[in-house]
Amino acid sequence: MAVDAALFTTSTGRRLSRDAIEHRIHHTIITAASSCPSLVGKHVTMHTLRHTAAMRLLHAGVDTTVIALWLGHEQIVTTNIYLHADMTLKEAAIAKVTPSGVTAPGRYQPTDTVLAFLAAL
């Protein structure tokens, strides 16, 4: 496959327009919703699929610079948005630096006193 080859093509092999791709996604979501009710009312776009692919690559351990190249980002800063959005990666990083036995494992649960203090701010 050529580097500039279209991913989504018409029956004649020409590149699909953005509108045509969005229409196909919309049609596919409507069809899939009959067997997957959780899709009803969801707004799925090309950007949603692109973001999901990037997050799955990130979770698979693919380096952000590779993801940036794959997505066509001109600057790595754009790809770093995915790092900020991923709580799993943040928790894994914290787990690596937390001394074992010092804190209880799991997610922090504030006490009622802390919640009342925050609510009063």
Side-chain angles (χ1 to χ4, degrees), residues 21-119:
I21 294 170
E22 290 288 355
H23 177 75
R24 284 195 181 178
I25 291 170
H26 179 72
H27 176 72
T28 302
I29 294 299
I30 289 172
T31 303
S34 63
S35 61
C36 184
S38 65
L39 289 173
V40 174
K42 295 263 173 101
H43 184 67
V44 180
T45 64
M46 285 185 346
H47 179 76
T48 307
L49 299 177
R50 180 181 164 93
H51 179 77
T52 301
M55 292 301 287
R56 293 191 55 111
L57 288 169
L58 192 62
H59 278 255
V62 176
D63 188 75
T64 54
T65 55
V66 174
I67 297 170
L69 289 170
W70 187 75
L71 294 175
H73 290 166
E74 290 183 16
Q75 298 179 358
I76 192 69
V77 173
T78 308
T79 312
N80 286 341
I81 293 168
Y82 297 108
L83 293 174
H84 295 292
D86 189 4
M87 289 304 294
T88 305
L89 287 176
K90 290 178 182 181
E91 288 174 348
I94 290 170
K96 288 180 181 177
V97 297
T98 303
S100 60
V102 176
T103 58
R107 199 173 276 245
Y108 172 73
Q109 295 295 320
T111 63
D112 290 339
T113 307
V114 171
L115 291 174
F117 168 75
L118 293 172

